[in-house]
Amino acid sequence: MLWIVLFFFFLISVPMVSSSPKYKILHVMSYHLPWEWNEDQLRGFKDALKGLDIDYKVFQMDTKRKSTEEWKNRVGKEARDLIKTWKPDLVYTNDDNAQQYVGKYYVNQSLPFVFSGVNADPQEYGFWGSKNITGILEQEHSIETLKFLKEIVPKVSRIAVIVDDDPTWGGVIKRIKERAAIHLPGIEFVSFDAVHTFKEYQERVREYQKKVDALGLLGIHTFKDGKGENVPWQEVLGWTAMNSQLPDFSFWKDRVPYGTLCVVYVSGYEQGLAAGKIARGILAEGKSPSSFPMVPTIKGQPIISLARAKNLGVEVKTKILLAAKVVEKYEWEK
Amino acid sequence: MYFKVGKVGTKIILITLGILFFAIGSTTLISGYIFSREYTDVLKSKLSIVGESLKSQLDRVLAFGIPLRELVGFEEQCQEIINRYKEISYAMVVDKNGEILFHNDPSNHHKIVTCLTALQAVKKDKETIQVCPDEGGKYLEFIHPIFDGNGEHIGAIRVGFPLNIITEKTKQLVFYSVGVALVFFALAVLLLVLGLSTWITKPLMRLLTVIQEIREKGTNFTRRVEIKSKDEIGQLASAFDKMMEDLQRTTVSKDYVDNIIESMMDALIVVDPDGKIQTVNKATCDLLGYPPNEMIGKSIDAILPTPGYLDEQGEIENFEASLKRKEGGTIPVLLSSSVMRDKSGNIEWIVCTARDITERKQAEETLRESEDRYRDLVECSQYLILTHNLEGQVLSINHGGATYLGYEPKDFLKKNIRDLLPHGVKDEFGTYLDTIRKQGSAKGLMLVQTATGERRVWEYDNTLRTEGVTMPIVRSISHDITERLQAEKAVRRLSQENAIMAEIGRIISSTLNIQEVYGRFAAEVGKLISFDRISVSTVNPDGRSVTIAYVWGAEVPDRKQGDILSSTGSLYEEIRAKRSGILIQVEDEEELAKSYSRLLSNFRAGFRSMISVPLISKDQLIGILNFRSFKSKNYRESDLGLTEKVGNQIAGAIANAQLFMERVQAEEERTALQEQLRQSQKMEAIGQLAGGVAHDFNNLLTVIQGYCDLILKDLDEKSRFFEDMTEIHKASERAALLTRQLLAFSRKQVLQPKVLDLNKVVLNMEKMLRRMIGEDIELATVLEKSLGRVKADPGQIEQVILNLAINARDAMSNGGKLMLETSNTQLDEHYAQSHVSVIPGRYIRLSVSDTGMGMSPEIRERIFEPFFTTKEKGKGTGLGLSTVYGIVKQSGGNIWVYSEPGQGTTFKIYLPTIEEGTTNPFVSTLVLPQSLQGSETILLVEDENAVRRLASTILQNNGYKVLEAANGEEALHMVHGIPPQSIHLMLTDVVMPRMSGRQLADRVESWQPTMKVLYMSGYTDNAIVHHGVLDPGTAYIQKPFTPDTLVSKIREVLDNS
């Protein structure tokens, strides 16, 4: 009889003993929902934490639609107040504004923070060396994009890169040069041109038609017209699609509907998934945040403009169409 | 392994194999069929999946609006599918007309499908699975229709695989199945063979073998099958074994009897009534050396010792006889015979047995020889081997032992052991017998008297025997150990001597204290040789006398430790001549007196035995070691040798100790001298210091005192300053007194010595001393009558005695005795060597002793230092004894203090004796001046301005003309400027820079020959004094001086012609 009692006691007690604790995670996103980038990150983050009993709370700072400094300070304060009252076990912050107005206030405190989608140098927020904050950096998939381009147009070997006068492109160009030298020995960068006006841009594009095999269009936001007015980047790309017979590439997917041939962009899902794995290590395995290095994601998402390919006369292989996202029409054709 | 074809095992195996073959065959066929069906279904399923997958990809791409024919690279997707699913042999996209648009093998592009069945299926808009015959064989293929974005049927996807793949796979399966089955089949056969062999064939073969053996050998029923298994075969074997046991129990076979006979150890011979041998066994043949069959039929007489032996003996039992061997010779046997008769009583057989007793005979012979040897050993042994009963009666004794004791063995047998024991130990025999009775053994030593009456010590080891005898007897083995005991005793004594010698050596080396060496040496040597007195005399350095350095034991009146005896006519001379010891043992005093009269005192003290041996070190006789005993003839010649060895041992130690003592003494004297020198130097240094201070101090006091006097003379006694000035004057006087004492200590005061009788000085002071020391202290004087004379300043000597008396009084606060002694004494070279600053010669010793508290060495060492005092503050200046010291030293004497805490103190003052007649120190020869005023011219030379001004003032106040000079050069210059004889007196300081007062006087004398000189000084130096004594005719005044003293002295000098 005693055996039976003990056996049943064992059966009852096993689930009690093996059940994991419930964790509270506050997700502070810089922007808003619904938005694919944010949704992808949150989805990836949750996938990484599958199996754990987690109570999620999402705080939307909505700083894309409301970008004044006053608003940012206000929602940052609200987010910090929420941390104080709700007492999460971990805070997951997306994109830079969440770091600027929330994360940096908690450097070297006990509450763990995990971020993703951060473009800036983490040191701007004081994260380097912090014991409680780590996460995933958002850095362009330059090599993957170039490989993707070669897959679409195998003959590409000479490339010219054009940027506007935004100083941030210096860092991007430096990274491209460093990585390409290692991973793409067959690619030659003929030039990296920084131009100021739309006219200059047009001249360069025309000039390069016979000189290079492809164009890299990185900075296209600050070109000025003859009146000194800013030329919208959509217009820049539209002109390019209509006037350039060179395949071109960039690193941001919003360029593709406006004519850029191909991009391998940073995957929100991958960002969220990588951040979620760190969060899992901190919560479930008891590891220190500082034991996880702050690195970018490896996997990117390819996207191709089928309309541009048609314009260029490029026959896109079926396997590319199957593997990548496909934009069938130009934005203005929709 | 027992396995034969055609036997039971073979049959079983064959049947089993047949069954297995059938089972394997049928199983393989069935499984092949099932596999073929299932595999076909699997392939069909794969075809469906692959087709769906390709269709899905195609649909997705077509959705981008790309016409089917314009797709690029879809053949790669087909190839990828083929690579993933190896069984699929082709995948293609065809249009509705059967043209191949994409194929995993691009060489087929744009070809038209040849298979009509397939072509028909392509044109349908439904999925189809069918068999398509082709040139290479039949294919099972799946056809998926394709539709464009408008739902129009535009083509199909074909995927297929060859049907023979199913057949091949099934064949492979069957092949592998059969292969595996055969392996298992082989293993099964092997196991079957092993099992059959172990459990069936082998046991059956064993049973068969046993049965065949029994059948061939007839009545051998001892064989068993012994199969342990419990199966039917085991039960069969068990039943067989049981049956054999029954047969063995109920049947006696000839073999059985033959075996018994053959296995007999004794010879067996069966003889018929005619004496012919009918049967012999193997033992008989072996014993007599015949082959087995040769004896059959022979007459028994051929082997018997004599013909008809059996007839004569009839039935016999264990009769010793000798049987003849075939090769000749006989062999001893125990012969037995018995007669077997038939029912009629006729002899049927005679059965003889013979046992070989050759070894027994040899053993008996060996035993006999052994007994002879042992008997000889015992009988001839020098050991006493005997037996006696528990009353001590001897029962047996060996010849050698009895003879050793001087008895015939037969006579010894009449004795009781007790009879052999000498009187006095007979009673111990009872104890011995008790031990034997109780413990069964006894061992020990026994004193035995031989037939000649000689006593010998025997060592015995006896045991009691009670078993196998009618009465208890004691077995005794003993041997004479008399010589051995004597040798052991000698060895022990030698060992003891060596040990004691070693101990003496150790004692000698352990200490240099000779008295300790003597004492411990005496204790050790007493273990070797008996004595009632031991003494050591050492030869004195003069060689003519000896000192009794050590005595222990009985006293001899004129031979005590420390006595010094003349060596003339003593044993010393004889021993020195012989350089060996003397043994004297006498009973007659007269006889001793003839040879050694110096030993009579020993004889009269009761000593009858005497040994004296030399103590020789480095070939020099350094003393004599004496042993004395009251016993007559206590010593033997060997003792003399022993004591000489002892003497040699200790002589070196005595020499070393003497040398050590001399060195220690010399070292102590050297240390004492160094200490005295150090003390003397210290006192000298302190004196120099004190003298220097006193000099300057005197100048100051001269000024203070002088001006005080001058002021007091002019001051009205009623003045309010008079009393103050008087106090200043008193204080300056006290200071002057202290300064004088310091000068006395530093030996810088000016003495006016006279020839003195110290006895008179003491006697003159006696009354005063009694008053001073009080009634509690007794004063005693011991004065030598013919005391010599000393030359000293009487006042200073009085001061010495007074100070010492005061010191003694203060040391005897509770009363005591103060003793003053005078005596003549001679301080020789030896004394001088041990006392610094002492010059050998005759001295007068003045001792001042008290019975006071005494002092410690530390205080004694510093007692003469100025300002050192043990008295309470204010009760002493610390200059009393310093003054004494300075005076004695300045008087050419020495002072020593002897004191111990609680033992009083003695000061001994030595003053050199002189031969001059005495003067009365207490009769003044000075002519005091009538008037102190004068008008003469006085040259005043003083380097101290204050003193010079004071003196000038005093002199001028008294009418003198004063010429002042601050130093000698200035004075000379002044003198040379004055007419001769115009200066009447020069008052000069003695000690001045560059030119002393004496030098100045000498320089002035030629210019002013009539000028008188009066020296003044705080202390003197060699300028006018020698060792503190003024040169004759020198006028001198001590600083500080009062105005009256100065003018009085001035007047005195001027007036004395």
Side-chain angles (χ1 to χ4, degrees), chain B residues 880-894:
Chain B
L881 292 177
S882 304
T883 305
V884 169
Y885 180 85
I887 292 170
V888 171
K889 285 290 182 182
Q890 197 171 359
S891 302
N894 291 294

Side-chain angles (χ1 to χ4, degrees), chain B residues 505-523:
Chain B
R506 196 187 64 75
I507 292 167
I508 289 166
S509 59
S510 65
T511 178
L512 283 168
N513 183 336
I514 193 62
Q515 286 300 321
E516 185 182 346
V517 169
Y518 286 145
R520 291 169 64 181
F521 158 74

Side-chain angles (χ1 to χ4, degrees), chain B residues 300-310 313 319-324 330-331 333 335:
Chain B
I300 188 67
D301 290 340
I303 62 171
L304 290 175
T306 53
Y309 187 82
L310 275 182
Q313 300 297 330
F319 195 82
E320 283 194 21
S322 297
L323 296 183
K324 295 176 183 172
T330 60
I331 187 163
V333 295
L335 191 63

